[in-house]
Amino acid sequence: MFRFPQRGYCFCIGDVIIMVRVELKEATKYYGERRGVEDINLSINDGEYLAVLGPTGSGKTTTMYLIAGLLSPSKGSILFDDEDISNVPAEDRSVGFVFEEYNLFPRMTVESNILFGPTVKDLNLIESRKISRELLALLNISGKEPNYPDEISGGQKQRVALARAIVSDARILVMDDPLRALDAKIREILQVELRKLVKDLGITCIHATHDTQEAMRVADRIAVFKDGMIVQIGTPEEVYNHPNSLYVAEFLGEGSTIEGKIDDIKEEKYLVLQDGSRINVETDLQKDEEAIALIPGELIDVYPISMKKKLNYHNIFEAVLLDVRCVGEFNELDLEIFGSRFKAKDLIGKEIPLKKKSKVLVATDKDDYRIFPKKEGKMINKKKSDRIINSNTQVGIDGSSVKKVKKK
Amino acid sequence: MVSEQRDIEVKMRRNLLKAENWLSKKNVLTAGKVITIVIFVLIVLGPILYLLLQILINSKEINSTVFNDPILGNEAFLMMLRSIGLSLKIAAIVTVFDILVGVPIAWILARYEFRGKNILDTLVDMPIAVPTSALGFSIYLFWGTNNGISRLFNSQVGLVSQGTFLIILAHIAFTFPYVTRSIRGIISDLDLNLEKAGKTLGASPFTIARMISLPMVKEGLLAGTVLAFTRSLGETGATLIVSGVYQTAPVVIVSWMKGLKIPTTAFLAFILILISLVLLTTVRLFARKVGLPWKKVFPRFERKLSSKKVKRSRDGVSLFLFFMFVFIPALFVIIYLFQWWGRSPFSGDPQAGMIYQVFQAPDRKFTEIFRALGTSIEIALIVTLINMVIATPMALMISKMKNKKVKGILDLLIDIPLVIPSSALGFSIFFLWGSNGMHILSPGFFMIVIAHVSFTYSYCVRPLIGSFDAIPTMYDEAATAFGASKFTAFRKVTLPFLKSGLIAAAIMTFTRSMSETGATIITMGVERTIPVLLVDFFEASTFPAAAFASTILIIISFAMLLLLRRITRRAKNE
Amino acid sequence: MSEIRFQHVTKIFGKSVEAVKDLSFIINDGEYISLIGPSGCGKTTTLRLLAGTILPTEGEILFDDQPMQNVRIQDRNIGFVFQHFAIFPHMTVSENIAYGPTVRGRSKREIEPLVEKALKSVQMSNKANLYPDSLSAPDWQKTALARVLASEARILLLDEPLGALDQKIREEFQLFLRDLVKREKLTAIHVTHDQAEALTISDRVAVLNKGRLIQLGTPSDLIYNPNHLFASFFVGESDFLEGVIIDDSAENAEVRIGQSLIKVNNMGVEKGKRVAVAVRREFFQVEPITTKGLTNSLPGEVIEDKFLGLLRRIRIKLENQQIIEAKIHAKHPVQFKENEKVIINIDPSVTRCFDFPKEGIVSALEM
């Protein structure tokens, strides 16, 4: 348990006392003509862990900078606990900021780095040193205090940066893609550590990332960004299972897309493909509307052809298994269905005797498909539409779309 | 026919590759390295070592001339002490000014975006390219005569007479860029994100500058300070003009040399070289270790210092001082030239005007000027050529060297010509090659060339090391991995990367050679280069002619500087 | 033929920094090998030893039984592909590709077909005369690959070749790269920090840590039969249960973990020894406390059930206070609540049993 002397509150592990509600109201930032973010309405509750998810250039960093005060909004306001702090300079906001490139001060030891905040704020250094020790122990890097940043590894650097941000009397923690520069394995480990630390401290935390898995692993809620605007906010489950647009669906679940027309027979909806195949789906779209369906790879179940009678699914198709690869926690299967290439993912451990180039059964339920009107799909993805839509329909390495391959 | 030609081509290409393969052999490369170092030692270090050696060997003669002269006693030694004392005092004052004004200006140039920034940037660098004798003359005209600043006060005499104060003013002008230049680049390369990090941790801008940015600029600042200090300590050209009866150490060397008092000159040169070397090594060795004082932070006070008002007034004052003490005096000679173009602005006498004095008077000064200009250019070209040949392998060697200790030592040795007074360097070259030493050369064209090669050497090697370092090592690996010998890889891959770096180094060398005074005076014999001619004109009080020569020099250097900037900027953009 | 053999290779930098230590293995002709490990594990050093930019302090590297100690880089018949491409910016694509044969003194007549063939196999024929600055990152890497093909190297060294590419393109490029290497019958050694990439692309994967070779095996070997604590930690995600061997006589050994006994794969660990039982997080079977018929299980308490899309991650505290994570399929019918008591069932055949490291698990796995 440690105590922040200046404010008179304590962070008690597992027993939360102080937290800050952060609110952005119509926050807008333009860089000259270029849009950074527009009309961001976002409210982050006390002690909540929010992930801001989006590709490079979608306004994540701008949002983080607005909250920290490194940028001031062109329009709109930012509130901490209902107090408008839009015009408070960064040095007075007490926002603990963790950068992508660590930004440790190279000429200072780990300890001086961590104590930089308390030093310039004239806090009680003895207390702060105690807190820093406890934090370093929590983060498994005790004993590195006398080292210089270039003597420790990337993962350790980011842990030090995290400790530095917290020790400087931070009211909230803002992290801008903090794990991007790290190796895959360290990233995996730190994701778990981060969430654990933030939850133990009970601090309000905003974490920007471009990595869907990372967002899912760390956050209570996810805000999906696109071109400087928020497309959807919700818990990982909500955004994943009920994406409100093709963009979100594609960003959250790597999958394959198919196009077709909606048909309905006896209350059941079907997607009719060009070659006449019918897929049972669930959608609000009406008959004859053009639609795009996306199915995440992990929702496609694959079985040997002999099991046909035993399966209980809404849709069962025959397919050709092109390739199986074991890539760690799951197997990746390349399938050819309706003349297009599909990628399926399957958790390892389940033994399926499947052979390459053999016929298999592909089984899906009707609620596995995320259906979007074709027009809207195009509209939502106005700018980068083609690239984004195609990126999941297997753009060949030479730029030609594999999808165009005709059935033999 | 065609196929025959092609066969010859293929053969030639194969022979070239074979030759390069031979040159890339380990022992051939080693031999090349040895030769490079021998040349360096012979041309650059040799004279200095020889001088040091001679002083030690002939201590008796030194003793009898410097300390126990039968007539003068130790008068020569006392004079030495006086002049060195004066030089040190001036250098110290000048350096303090350079830092106080130079650091804020470097910050402005690195961080602010404003219209005319490029122009200001070039102006700040200009005193480095302009010959110090022209600079000194211009400053003398501005401060020391009734043509310059005193016109504002309707005074009939100059505001500052020749002497210590005027020397300081002159030295400020030409040492100023060394400090700004050495930290400007570092400041603009500083990672702004570190400052952002400092901000989010609650530090005010002043605290950030002091605690985060300054430690990273520290080494550059120290290097610049040493350069400014040693340049001031060893400057001759401008000092000859503005010193009057007050003699700084380098000026004493020149005047003793003119009086052929070889032993005393040698001893003074020896002491000056020693001081510079000690300064250089101390700073090199301890730059990293110098801790910064004031770890304690005073948040409220520093926050006040960060306020916009304080910042603005600081910037304003620095800019004013720069223009007042560096820029305007340095270029005043051009205004003077126009004042005296056709006739004297005071008496209206056309015979006192520049046109008459240079082109119409019977002594035909313009032929003299253009002959000297020709000599200068000729020397500068030869020097540049020689230096390109001997400096490139050295730069490559230093850049690729793995042994850090040897690298550090070579790196230090390279800088020696940069810090020792050029008149002392010139003297040691005269001492080694001339009649007192190996007696191979007598003062004249070739001795000037050797002197210039030796003191422009570091101006050539330094930027080249930078260019080599900037080439990512993966290109080296990629170049040799596909079967190319080291030489072939160098020709096909490294050289194209180096193009702009080579040109920049060449221009720098050329400009430095063009503008050198101190070493030239000692090694020139009857030859005249244009900066020296300028001093002659000044001593003969033919100011309009001197102004004409100065203006030509300024224009040439300015053009060179612009060229240099264009090339380096293009290289950076790529 | 290009078989590569490492014999007790050690490389020491400076006085005592052991970058790689006692490395011995064989890479067969035409094999695609990946080297993985945390930064500083020695994978890049191994690659540079192969290239000849550095020489081993001890031991020997043989290409086809020929020692390479005194063979210069340019004579080793290797091709290099770098993370940041190292495409010469002052040459066009085809000039870049022609670089190898040119510096080897081939005539134009010989070079042209080589370049053409190389361009074709990386599908860059239409971009032959462009300069690199007008191309995109994937095209740079393709040019680099073509440059290797044209130099007729038989051994391809790839140093994080996909590290500078975006995730999506990366996945495409992996398959492209493997196809190319197999088609051209090259021997490839690929350094990466991304285990998924290594598993996707290679025939065999070598796991390195702190300069030592931990395990060299096929992807499925590494997943199902890791033979070292570090290998099971680094490839995929595992938890390590601390226990003591009670019985080592049967096919499955019996281990006491906290108060419970479970059966694990008998890997020849002696009775009475402290062990670390490695279980992949995907292999934990988590069921409500009421479930019957589970024979090999541990009791635990749920800390958190976190949804991750493809799967759910359940953090569970065991009786002995150790916290483990189970990855279960997102479609698993039961939603677990905080503090809910559960049973974790473990199939003995998926466990791996290692000696418990003296310095403790955390420091043994420190990277």
Side-chain angles (χ1 to χ4, degrees):
Chain A
M1 180 195 292
F2 40 77
R3 220 178 124 71
F4 277 77
Q6 303 300 304
R7 288 179 189 276
Y9 58 75
C10 40
F11 274 167
C12 306
I13 294 180
D15 178 16
V16 180
I17 295 190
I18 243 278
M19 291 170 300
V20 178
R21 230 170 78 81
V22 180
E23 224 174 324
L24 279 80
K25 281 191 178 157
E26 293 172 7
T28 300
K29 176 73 191 176
Y30 270 83
Y31 303 99
E33 291 286 292
R34 200 166 57 82
R35 176 166 76 193
V37 292
E38 191 158 329
D39 268 340
I40 299 291
N41 284 301
L42 190 61
S43 132
I44 304 137
N45 299 326
D46 300 356
E48 190 182 25
Y49 200 135
L50 180 92
V52 167
L53 177 65
T56 317
S58 59
K60 292 176 309 216
T61 300
T62 307
T63 312
M64 299 297 114
Y65 277 20
L66 285 175
I67 296 171
L70 293 169
L71 286 174
S72 52
S74 322
K75 217 187 75 196
S77 54
I78 297 146
L79 294 86
F80 286 3
D81 282 341
D82 299 323
E83 178 195 346
D84 189 343
I85 46 107
S86 310
N87 296 318
V88 176
E91 57 259 39
D92 297 332
R93 282 200 195 181
S94 291
V95 168
F97 203 102
V98 178
F99 296 82
E100 179 188 330
E101 314 84 354
Y102 329 125
N103 289 332
L104 296 182
F105 307 129
R107 298 288 169 90
M108 295 184 195
T109 59
V110 165
E111 176 158 54
S112 323
N113 259 290
I114 296 178
L115 294 182
F116 181 84
T119 313
V120 300
K121 284 183 177 168
D122 215 6
L123 303 183
N124 184 338
L125 279 186
I126 298 167
E127 285 283 334
S128 306
R129 193 165 288 139
K130 222 158 97 196
I131 299 171
S132 113
R133 285 230 180 94
E134 280 182 53
L135 265 176
L136 290 183
L138 269 180
L139 291 164
N140 292 327
I141 42 168
S142 296
K144 297 284 179 198
E145 287 95 335
N147 289 76
Y148 281 88
D150 54 6
E151 297 165 350
I152 60 178
S153 70
Q156 291 171 334
K157 275 185 209 162
Q158 200 56 297
R159 289 179 173 114
V160 172
L162 188 64
R164 180 178 70 175
I166 293 173
V167 172
S168 74
D169 202 8
R171 299 156 73 192
I172 64 167
L173 194 57
V174 176
M175 298 190 272
D176 186 16
D177 224 337
L179 308 180
R180 184 176 207 144
L182 299 172
D183 280 5
K185 189 75 201 176
I186 306 265
R187 205 152 58 208
E188 213 170 73
I189 295 170
L190 270 179
Q191 282 161 1
V192 178
E193 261 180 44
L194 262 181
R195 179 167 171 87
K196 186 169 169 294
L197 182 79
V198 167
K199 285 293 158 191
D200 284 351
L201 296 179
I203 194 169
T204 308
C205 176
I206 304 147
H207 174 142
T209 175
H210 68 287
D211 179 348
T212 311
Q213 275 304 310
E214 182 171 316
M216 297 257 224
R217 276 160 176 257
V218 296
D220 299 326
R221 279 197 305 156
I222 298 177
V224 185
F225 270 58
K226 184 195 173 204
D227 295 339
M229 302 208 264
I230 294 180
V231 196
Q232 189 173 5
I233 309 182
T235 63
E237 212 150 355
E238 281 165 10
V239 220
Y240 180 84
N241 285 332
H242 309 286
N244 66 1
S245 60
L246 186 57
Y247 172 82
V248 175
E250 293 195 317
F251 208 90
L252 270 285
E254 198 189 336
S256 317
T257 49
I258 19 174
E259 287 181 24
K261 250 186 205 168
I262 300 294
D263 191 11
D264 61 11
I265 303 171
K266 290 185 217 153
E267 318 241 311
E268 287 288 328
K269 294 263 172 71
Y270 292 91
L271 183 73
V272 184
L273 307 187
Q274 261 186 343
D275 66 351
S277 329
R278 301 166 77 85
I279 304 174
N280 189 355
V281 297
E282 230 172 42
T283 174
D284 294 335
L285 293 184
Q286 297 306 312
K287 189 176 162 131
D288 287 340
E289 274 187 88
E290 301 255 354
I292 295 180
L294 179 136
I295 175 146
E298 54 269 25
L299 297 183
I300 301 181
D301 293 335
V302 182
Y303 296 95
I305 203 102
S306 57
M307 289 182 65
K308 192 159 193 172
K309 301 247 163 75
K310 296 176 200 156
L311 298 175
N312 183 20
Y313 284 86
H314 294 110
N315 297 294
I316 298 174
F317 300 108
E318 275 190 17
V320 180
L321 179 67
L322 301 173
D323 197 9
V324 187
R325 290 178 302 272
C326 179
V327 297
E329 69 191 15
F330 47 78
N331 290 314
E332 239 175 40
L333 300 95
D334 283 346
L335 300 161
E336 197 180 294
I337 324 171
F338 323 125
S340 328
R341 212 156 138 176
F342 278 68
K343 210 184 241 179
K345 285 180 184 172
D346 208 350
L347 262 187
I348 61 161
K350 224 196 298 178
E351 298 273 335
I352 345 165
L354 297 173
K355 275 185 203 148
K356 278 187 199 177
K357 314 268 173 193
S358 67
K359 280 203 168 177
V360 290
L361 288 179
V362 170
T364 50
D365 279 327
K366 60 180 176 183
D367 56 351
D368 291 343
Y369 294 87
R370 289 88 164 93
I371 308 283
F372 303 97
K374 191 173 172 187
K375 275 184 218 146
E376 193 207 329
K378 281 268 152 73
M379 196 192 72
I380 288 176
N381 298 302
K382 211 175 10 189
K383 273 186 192 161
K384 296 173 185 167
S385 62
D386 296 334
R387 199 176 58 75
I388 289 169
I389 289 178
N390 282 339
S391 65
N392 265 347
T393 56
Q394 304 296 334
V395 182
I397 194 91
D398 54 350
S400 69
S401 173
V402 179
K403 206 179 167 185
K404 283 175 199 149
V405 178
K406 287 262 159 64
K407 247 201 212 168
K408 279 163 208 163
Chain B
M1 258 309 272
V2 177
S3 74
E4 212 170 275
Q5 213 172 350
R6 203 181 276 163
D7 282 347
I8 294 172
E9 231 183 90
V10 170
K11 225 180 215 170
M12 275 174 60
R13 208 144 46 84
R14 282 203 183 136
N15 285 337
L16 176 64
L17 290 175
K18 252 186 216 158
E20 285 175 330
N21 204 1
W22 182 79
L23 284 170
S24 311
K25 278 189 180 157
K26 224 174 185 179
N27 36 15
V28 182
L29 281 180
T30 318
K33 283 180 192 169
V34 171
I35 293 173
T36 308
I37 291 186
V38 167
I39 290 177
F40 168 65
V41 169
L42 208 66
I43 293 189
V44 181
L45 293 187
I48 299 166
L49 291 175
Y50 180 73
L51 179 69
L52 302 184
L53 200 71
Q54 285 298 315
I55 296 287
L56 297 178
I57 293 171
N58 302 329
S59 52
K60 240 186 211 163
E61 197 186 338
I62 299 290
N63 192 23
S64 66
T65 46
V66 178
F67 297 101
N68 297 310
D69 192 89
I71 309 163
L72 299 167
N74 65 352
E75 183 53 35
F77 182 63
L78 291 180
M79 185 165 175
M80 261 181 222
L81 286 185
R82 268 201 304 277
S83 65
I84 290 174
L86 182 67
S87 283
L88 286 174
K89 198 170 76 189
I90 290 170
I93 295 171
V94 165
T95 313
V96 169
F97 179 92
D98 287 347
I99 294 174
L100 287 183
V101 182
V103 174
I105 291 212
W107 195 269
I108 291 172
L109 285 175
R111 283 296 164 80
Y112 298 1
E113 284 304 328
F114 51 91
R115 215 181 277 170
K117 176 175 159 175
N118 274 330
I119 298 171
L120 181 63
D121 208 4
T122 317
L123 295 183
V124 168
D125 272 1
M126 219 181 76
I128 278 200
V130 176
T132 50
S133 54
L135 220 51
F137 178 59
S138 182
I139 286 158
Y140 170 69
L141 291 176
F142 183 74
W143 293 108
T145 68
N146 56 0
N147 293 284
I149 183 95
S150 54
R151 280 200 159 189
L152 287 181
F153 311 108
N154 277 326
S155 158
Q156 291 303 310
V157 288
L159 196 64
V160 183
S161 56
Q162 283 178 321
T164 314
F165 193 49
L166 198 56
I167 301 177
I168 291 173
L169 287 174
H171 283 201
I172 282 173
F174 74 83
T175 57
F176 186 77
Y178 289 102
V179 172
T180 350
R181 257 171 70 105
S182 62
I183 57 170
R184 200 226 111 125
I186 305 177
I187 295 176
S188 39
D189 286 348
L190 284 182
D191 188 356
L192 280 179
N193 281 324
L194 288 181
E195 288 170 33
K196 282 189 193 135
K199 227 180 197 177
T200 61
L201 293 170
S204 58
F206 182 82
T207 317
I208 291 173
R210 177 166 84 74
M211 292 188 68
I212 299 169
S213 312
L214 191 62
M216 293 196 275
V217 177
K218 183 180 69 184
E219 282 144 52
L221 184 61
L222 272 171
T225 308
V226 170
L227 266 183
F229 190 87
T230 50
R231 292 310 302 174
S232 164
L233 194 65
E235 209 287 327
T236 323
T239 321
L240 278 174
I241 290 172
V242 294
S243 59
V245 291
Y246 293 88
Q247 296 202 311
T248 64
V251 173
V252 172
I253 290 187
V254 171
S255 67
W256 278 349
M257 183 63 200
K258 279 184 180 162
L260 289 176
K261 298 178 185 166
I262 305 292
T264 43
T265 321
F267 191 66
L268 181 54
F270 167 77
I271 293 177
L272 275 183
I273 290 175
L274 227 52
I275 293 176
S276 314
L277 289 186
V278 166
L279 263 175
L280 177 69
T281 21
T282 345
V283 167
R284 268 302 175 79
L285 287 181
F286 298 109
R288 263 219 144 204
K289 289 176 193 149
V290 175
L292 280 167
W294 315 313
K295 279 261 162 73
K296 172 90 184 135
V297 178
F298 309 93
R300 275 204 207 134
F301 174 65
E302 292 186 17
R303 193 154 288 200
K304 263 183 205 156
L305 279 183
S306 310
S307 72
K308 276 199 176 134
K309 239 197 238 160
V310 175
K311 217 159 91 188
R312 257 191 225 137
S313 43
R314 188 186 61 216
D315 293 345
V317 169
S318 317
L319 282 174
F320 170 78
L321 290 175
F322 166 71
F323 279 102
M324 195 59 208
F325 289 101
V326 180
F327 180 65
I328 298 172
L331 292 187
F332 180 73
V333 65
I334 299 173
I335 297 169
Y336 177 88
L337 185 67
F338 285 108
Q339 285 175 353
W340 291 75
W341 190 267
R343 57 173 65 87
S344 156
F346 298 107
S347 61
D349 178 8
Q351 290 217 347
M354 186 278 288
I355 299 280
Y356 178 82
Q357 291 240 334
V358 175
F359 294 100
Q360 292 162 358
D363 56 356
R364 300 171 70 80
K365 288 223 170 48
F366 74 92
T367 47
E368 225 175 311
I369 291 173
F370 285 109
R371 196 185 313 128
L373 190 62
T375 315
S376 275
I377 291 176
E378 215 174 313
I379 290 173
L381 282 177
I382 296 174
V383 166
T384 309
L385 205 65
I386 294 177
N387 255 340
M388 293 321 290
V389 174
I390 64 172
T392 314
M394 187 58 144
L396 182 60
M397 205 164 87
I398 293 182
S399 164
K400 294 277 173 275
M401 193 161 276
K402 280 183 194 130
N403 187 332
K404 278 202 177 131
K405 264 188 197 156
V406 181
K407 186 174 177 166
I409 292 171
L410 270 180
D411 212 50
L412 179 77
L413 292 179
I414 293 289
D415 274 354
I416 288 178
L418 216 56
V419 295
I420 67 174
S422 62
S423 54
L425 184 65
F427 177 78
S428 48
I429 282 165
F430 163 80
F431 203 56
L432 173 65
W433 300 97
S435 49
N436 297 69
M438 306 187 0
H439 204 28
I440 294 173
L441 292 171
S442 47
F445 190 84
F446 289 105
M447 201 183 265
I448 304 177
V449 168
I450 289 196
H452 283 201
V453 166
S454 132
F455 102 101
T456 54
Y457 188 79
S458 30
Y459 285 98
C460 198
V461 177
R462 275 271 150 242
L464 281 179
I465 294 178
S467 317
F468 278 119
D469 284 346
I471 305 174
T473 43
M474 63 174 181
Y475 287 111
D476 286 341
E477 282 176 15
T480 43
F482 294 99
S485 64
K486 280 192 173 163
F487 250 85
T488 317
F490 181 80
R491 174 170 58 91
K492 296 216 72 146
V493 178
T494 315
L495 218 50
F497 274 106
L498 213 59
K499 221 174 357 183
S500 56
L502 278 171
I503 296 173
I507 293 175
M508 198 64 205
T509 314
F510 184 88
T511 331
R512 290 310 303 173
S513 166
M514 277 290 286
S515 59
E516 214 292 321
T517 324
T520 319
I521 289 183
I522 287 168
T523 52
M524 70 190 173
V526 292
E527 286 287 349
R528 283 292 176 277
T529 64
I530 191 146
V532 177
L533 188 69
L534 212 155
V535 177
D536 286 353
F537 282 162
F538 174 81
E539 281 169 354
S541 290
T542 46
F543 285 10
F548 180 72
S550 297
T551 309
I552 288 180
L553 271 175
I554 288 174
I555 288 169
I556 292 177
S557 349
F558 196 65
M560 286 289 174
L561 200 65
L562 285 181
L563 201 61
L564 186 71
R565 299 195 131 256
R566 171 161 289 187
I567 287 163
T568 45
R569 191 162 310 144
R570 208 178 46 204
K572 219 176 217 175
N573 288 343
E574 278 169 7
Chain C
M1 263 290 283
S2 30
E3 181 202 79
I4 300 165
R5 189 192 298 266
F6 272 65
Q7 284 180 344
H8 305 289
V9 174
T10 295
K11 175 71 195 177
I12 297 174
F13 286 117
K15 274 185 188 136
S16 59
V17 187
E18 284 176 337
V20 299
K21 201 168 177 216
D22 199 18
L23 223 50
S24 295
F25 58 87
I26 296 171
I27 299 170
N28 301 317
D29 183 42
E31 205 174 13
Y32 201 124
I33 296 274
S34 288
L35 307 178
I36 59 172
S39 16
C41 70
K43 50 190 197 289
T44 304
T45 308
T46 311
L47 206 65
R48 290 178 62 203
L49 283 166
L50 273 170
T53 49
I54 52 174
L55 295 173
T57 318
E58 272 168 48
E60 242 178 5
I61 298 169
L62 306 151
F63 288 7
D64 287 337
D65 297 325
Q66 257 186 318
M68 285 286 125
Q69 186 71 16
N70 295 316
V71 182
R72 296 187 295 181
I73 312 175
Q74 56 259 44
D75 302 326
R76 287 195 177 196
N77 205 14
I78 48 164
F80 231 115
V81 176
F82 300 83
Q83 179 176 6
H84 297 288
F85 322 114
I87 291 298
F88 306 132
H90 55 280
M91 301 181 189
T92 63
V93 167
S94 55
E95 281 166 2
N96 260 293
I97 297 171
Y99 178 81
T102 310
V103 296
R104 284 209 161 95
R106 296 291 199 84
S107 71
K108 281 222 171 70
R109 227 172 310 152
E110 292 169 288
I111 295 173
E112 265 164 28
L114 276 176
V115 172
E116 226 160 85
K117 202 173 140 232
L119 277 169
K120 217 171 177 185
S121 53
V122 298
Q123 300 152 1
M124 289 274 293
S125 302
N126 51 344
K127 293 169 183 166
N129 295 317
L130 298 178
Y131 277 92
D133 56 4
S134 60
L135 296 175
S136 62
D139 282 345
W140 288 335
Q141 206 54 299
K142 284 194 207 167
T143 308
L145 283 166
R147 187 169 59 179
V148 173
L149 295 182
S151 76
E152 297 178 289
R154 303 305 311 152
I155 298 171
L156 182 56
L157 305 180
L158 304 123
D159 188 5
E160 293 274 5
L162 312 180
L165 305 180
D166 284 351
Q167 187 59 35
K168 278 262 148 52
I169 298 168
R170 232 174 133 135
E171 282 164 19
E172 297 286 331
F173 216 111
Q174 287 167 4
L175 301 182
F176 169 80
L177 194 54
R178 183 177 162 85
D179 284 350
L180 183 75
V181 167
K182 290 293 167 193
R183 194 169 62 231
E184 302 285 339
K185 299 194 170 62
L186 302 175
T187 305
I189 298 101
H190 179 126
V191 160
T192 174
H193 69 264
D194 181 353
Q195 41 132 336
E197 180 176 308
L199 294 170
T200 309
I201 211 166
S202 25
D203 300 323
R204 285 195 297 158
V205 178
V207 182
L208 283 90
N209 189 34
K210 294 179 177 166
R212 287 175 183 275
L213 180 65
I214 303 290
Q215 184 171 5
L216 174 59
T218 62
S220 71
D221 259 356
L222 283 171
I223 295 281
Y224 293 101
N225 301 311
N227 62 9
H228 190 280
L229 197 67
F230 186 82
S232 61
F233 161 74
F234 195 78
V235 182
E237 283 183 87
S238 293
D239 269 307
F240 302 96
L241 307 170
E242 188 188 335
V244 178
I245 299 262
I246 300 294
D247 177 15
D248 63 351
S249 57
E251 187 189 347
N252 288 329
E254 202 155 36
V255 178
R256 196 182 64 224
I257 296 169
Q259 306 297 318
S260 327
L261 292 178
I262 62 162
K263 290 200 166 63
V264 303
N265 216 339
N266 189 345
M267 290 173 69
V269 184
E270 283 165 42
K271 189 172 165 179
K273 276 252 169 133
R274 261 178 101 201
V275 289
V277 178
V279 185
R280 289 205 177 283
R281 288 174 176 170
E282 302 84 18
F283 294 161
F284 286 121
Q285 189 190 342
V286 185
E287 299 297 345
I289 193 85
T290 49
T291 318
K292 295 265 155 42
L294 300 175
T295 50
N296 198 38
S297 56
L298 296 169
E301 193 183 307
V302 173
I303 299 176
E304 186 181 46
D305 180 350
K306 184 111 182 58
F307 176 83
L308 297 180
L310 162 63
L311 36 81
R312 273 155 46 199
R313 189 180 65 203
I314 309 196
R315 287 176 65 203
I316 301 167
K317 199 196 288 176
L318 299 181
E319 265 182 340
N320 61 355
Q321 303 305 310
Q322 189 184 353
I323 291 172
I324 61 158
E325 284 175 28
K327 287 176 174 174
I328 61 172
H329 202 282
K331 281 183 175 170
H332 191 285
V334 186
Q335 187 77 37
F336 295 101
K337 287 185 227 60
E338 220 173 287
N339 298 331
E340 184 179 334
K341 298 261 191 265
V342 289
I343 304 178
I344 304 132
N345 194 50
I346 299 166
D347 177 355
S349 66
V350 300
T351 59
R352 308 291 292 168
C353 198
F354 305 110
D355 277 335
F356 196 86
K358 281 180 211 120
E359 67 271 36
I361 297 264
V362 174
S363 28
L365 298 178
E366 199 189 331
M367 302 194 289

